[in-house]
Amino acid sequence: MIDSIDAVPLTQVSTADATAWHAVVAASLAADLPEEPCPTFEQTHARLAVTGRDNRRLLWLATEADGTVVGVAGLRLFTPEGQRHLAELELHVTPERRRSGVGSRLLATAVGAAREEGRRSLVAAAPGEGPAGAFCAARGFRRVLAFDHLLLDVAQADTTEADAEHPGYELVGWTGTVPDELAEAFASAKNAMNDMPTGDMDYGSQTWTADRVRAMAEVLADRGDLLLTIAALGKGEMAGYTEIVIRSGETGRAQQYDTAVAPAHRGHGLGLWLKAEMVRRLRAEHPGIGEVETDNAQENTHMLAVNRSLGFRFHRSTHEYQLDLRTD
């Protein structure tokens, strides 16, 4: 019964809280995405304990009368100027307690908090198949964007493009925080992501600065994650870049983060060049990594084509849902 469920806010995350959170997430993902590797407890704990520099988070545990945790919810409140209208929801309920009001209680709590914070849009991701999308649709969310998740077999990837000639451009790479002499150029290249497809999502815009790119790298380092970057320099600026993250404790799969090419440098094959060189770097420096996972908006046909040229194959889909909030 929903009356027996409390949504308990977490202001400080103890080891016991993280353990309970991880158990709920692990059970939820095992039911909804059984073929996906589950995050480790250490990864979950680090994500809860280390907050991004450009957002605040509110967390809740759904508990029964006896204290058993049967659901969790996190609300990410974006703080940059161009996204202060936006909040992002993560919500999980243990499979045996679904359809009993737990998710509804957590959602109502998160929606109320988002409204109190003056947010006009609440977004949440759901697997392309399964009950999460139906849950969102039944509660007034609109589907605003669809993503294809792709997997790359690192050993089988076609990296011949890494040998292609690109007169006027050179590749540079680093691990972790961007070198000081490249920080401003990197921030400028990061702003090229503002024209990525966002469908009907009320996404807003981001402004990257040298301090912000440093802060992003610090957050990943604080979580124990490894950030690898390769960039193309040309014509006095950074023309493009690609990023890979190997999460703390990960032994097999890396995550693709941003890949972007500045508008003035598009049409020269730089994106594929960068990504092919990154695969070679993974093979040389991290031979235990056998797969790379990426996701692209289904309408981002250019990047999907680039990834398929490298050898990425379709893995699964995710849908982004949005709830429009009235704050009056």
Side-chain angles (χ1 to χ4, degrees):
M1 294 289 293
I2 191 170
D3 290 341
S4 67
I5 298 297
D6 287 327
V8 180
L10 293 182
T11 54
Q12 292 185 331
V13 180
S14 68
T15 300
D17 294 330
T19 299
W21 187 291
H22 178 72
V24 171
V25 171
S28 175
L29 293 178
D32 295 341
L33 296 170
E35 297 181 357
E36 289 298 290
C38 181
T40 65
F41 167 75
E42 290 74 18
Q43 290 168 346
T44 299
H45 195 187
R47 191 166 58 86
L48 292 172
V50 181
T51 303
R53 306 292 193 269
D54 58 358
N55 64 83
R56 294 187 293 113
R57 281 188 306 183
L58 303 177
L59 306 172
W60 297 271
L61 299 178
T63 62
E64 296 183 308
D66 64 357
T68 302
V69 178
V70 293
V72 299
L75 191 66
R76 182 183 178 196
L77 301 164
F78 294 85
T79 55
E81 181 67 32
Q83 292 188 305
R84 291 179 185 169
H85 64 282
L86 187 64
E88 182 178 54
L89 175 69
E90 177 187 6
L91 192 155
H92 294 278
V93 176
T94 56
E96 66 273 12
R97 293 294 274 115
R98 292 176 178 178
R99 298 183 179 274
S100 66
V102 176
S104 295
R105 170 61 60 86
L106 286 169
L107 177 61
T109 301
V111 166
R115 285 183 170 139
E116 287 180 6
E117 293 283 345
R119 306 298 159 137
R120 70 170 183 251
S121 298
L122 177 66
V123 295
E129 304 292 337
F135 176 87
C136 290
R139 286 155 182 81
F141 285 77
R142 296 181 294 114
R143 199 175 91 182
V144 291
L145 191 61
F147 289 95
D148 281 351
H149 290 248
L150 310 176
L151 278 183
L152 178 70
D153 183 327
V154 173
Q156 298 299 319
D158 181 359
T159 61
T160 55
E161 188 62 26
D163 297 320
E165 294 292 332
H166 292 274
Y169 296 97
E170 64 172 326
L171 296 180
V172 296
W174 63 88
T175 299
T177 305
V178 60
D180 287 344
E181 66 273 17
L182 296 176
E184 293 289 348
F186 187 39
S188 179
K190 276 271 188 183
N191 285 314
M193 290 294 293
N194 276 322
D195 64 1
M196 68 180 181
T198 55
D200 295 325
M201 189 190 305
D202 186 14
Y203 186 74
S205 62
Q206 301 189 64
T207 300
W208 289 92
T209 64
D211 285 343
R212 189 178 177 204
V213 296
R214 292 187 187 104
M216 183 201 77
E218 289 171 2
V219 169
L220 292 171
D222 288 346
R223 292 176 181 168
D225 298 343
L226 188 66
L227 172 63
L228 309 176
T229 307
I230 293 178
L233 304 180
K235 302 180 182 178
E237 60 185 351
M238 189 172 292
Y241 67 93
T242 189
E243 299 168 317
I244 288 285
V245 169
I246 302 174
R247 293 173 179 165
S248 176
E250 183 58 64
T251 59
R253 183 182 294 184
Q255 303 294 320
Q256 176 77 60
Y257 270 40
D258 290 350
T259 298
V261 175
H265 300 274
R266 291 173 184 169
H268 303 294
L270 299 186
L272 184 55
W273 186 38
L274 286 160
K275 292 171 79 76
E277 183 63 26
M278 178 63 84
V279 172
R280 289 191 174 178
R281 182 177 176 186
L282 281 175
R283 288 173 178 168
E285 298 178 10
H286 304 280
I289 296 297
E291 294 180 324
V292 175
E293 181 179 5
T294 190
D295 61 77
N296 300 118
Q298 289 179 357
E299 59 193 79
N300 192 352
T301 55
H302 173 72
M303 189 54 69
L304 284 167
V306 168
N307 283 328
R308 287 174 182 141
S309 295
L310 194 60
F312 279 90
R313 66 187 188 280
F314 178 80
H315 179 51
R316 61 185 178 90
S317 62
T318 295
H319 296 154
E320 199 79 24
Y321 289 84
Q322 179 174 303
L323 182 66
D324 302 317
L325 304 177
R326 293 193 304 272
T327 57
D328 49 36

